[in-house]
Amino acid sequence: MAIDQGGVSAVSAGDLLAQDLRIPTYQRPYSWKPETALQLWNDVQGARTDTERRGVPYVLGAVILHKEEAYFNVVDGQQRLLTLRMILAIIDTNQLILPQNKATPVSRVWTALGTRISALQECEREPLADFIKTRCQLIRIVTDNIDE
């Protein structure tokens, strides 16, 4: 694999999601079922207590990106990144806005996550978002060769 110099690094979920990430047309659409997204939610919830106690970050796995001019195409990790983005969006908007088309995987996952997040006390939401943004990490791998 042609990895950029310094192309492997641990990065917080918040820093990674703040970058200009794009889903290239060759990627399959979002396909996680609510059960899979809720498993990620449960993992993050459980890890929050454990990592705060031990003082270590919670690693969510690797994400492979292809550098394309001023942005990055997501080659691997799309489902996880989009699910994290949905969790943060639901927490940040502080309300459950249901998508119009309820038949898509995104809509079904959004609804399931929204239901789970709405069960949280108001005072729990912002600390959880902060945990995801700052203490959850991903291994960021950047390649400069699309064929890789």
Side-chain angles (χ1 to χ4, degrees), residues 123-143:
C123 63
E124 295 175 292
R125 293 179 190 185
E126 189 55 39
L128 178 60
D130 185 59
F131 173 77
I132 292 170
K133 291 176 190 174
T134 62
R135 303 291 295 160
C136 289
Q137 290 186 348
L138 295 115
I139 305 304
R140 180 179 172 264
I141 302 168
V142 179
T143 180

Side-chain angles (χ1 to χ4, degrees), residues 49-67:
T49 304
D50 188 45
T51 57
E52 286 177 348
R53 184 171 11 99
R54 294 184 305 140
V56 297
Y58 180 59
V59 179
L60 293 169
V63 174
I64 301 175
L65 307 173
H66 172 245
K67 181 132 177 76

Side-chain angles (χ1 to χ4, degrees), residues 28-76:
R28 65 187 169 109
Y30 185 84
S31 63
W32 271 15
K33 292 183 176 10
E35 298 78 25
T36 309
L38 290 173
Q39 183 61 55
L40 176 61
W41 166 260
N42 291 336
D43 291 348
V44 168
Q45 282 281 74
R48 182 172 170 223
T49 304
D50 188 45
T51 57
E52 286 177 348
R53 184 171 11 99
R54 294 184 305 140
V56 297
Y58 180 59
V59 179
L60 293 169
V63 174
I64 301 175
L65 307 173
H66 172 245
K67 181 132 177 76
E68 184 86 33
E69 298 175 17
Y71 60 89
F72 297 96
N73 283 321
V74 179
V75 177
D76 186 51

Side-chain angles (χ1 to χ4, degrees), residues 38 90 96 98 109-120 125:
L38 290 173
I90 293 167
L96 177 58
L98 296 174
V109 166
W110 183 276
T111 301
L113 289 170
T115 300
R116 192 66 57 94
I117 292 167
S118 68
L120 290 176
R125 293 179 190 185

